[in-house]
Amino acid sequence: MVEKRICSFCGDEIEPGTGSMHIKKDGTIYHFCTKKCRKNMLHLKRVPRRTRWSKFFVKKS
């Protein structure tokens, strides 16, 4: 049985056979559903809690 993964940035489910995986030198594994999520986390260094379209977005009230 193939398990479904969750995107490390936006929190969406990734279908088996799609998406990409990034492994850092310290052994941390990131799974991304799209190139948009990968760029936001790795290149632009954005925090998912502050990005409105991610599921991890927290409103400050």
Side-chain angles (χ1 to χ4, degrees):
M1 187 78 183
V2 180
E3 67 179 79
K4 291 187 178 180
R5 309 234 182 243
I6 295 178
C7 181
S8 298
F9 190 79
C10 68
D12 288 340
E13 282 190 6
I14 303 171
E15 291 294 321
T18 61
S20 62
M21 181 170 59
H22 181 81
I23 303 171
K24 291 176 66 174
K25 288 182 182 178
D26 62 359
T28 307
I29 300 173
Y30 295 120
H31 297 280
F32 299 109
C33 57
T34 59
K35 195 173 181 180
K36 176 182 178 181
C37 292
R38 183 172 52 88
K39 279 185 176 180
N40 274 285
M41 188 167 214
L42 300 177
H43 301 295
L44 300 175
K45 302 193 188 307
R46 291 191 175 146
V47 180
R49 293 184 316 257
R50 296 182 191 157
T51 308
R52 290 184 179 270
W53 51 268
S54 72
K55 290 185 179 177
F56 302 120
F57 179 68
V58 179
K59 290 184 179 181
K60 296 179 184 176
S61 27

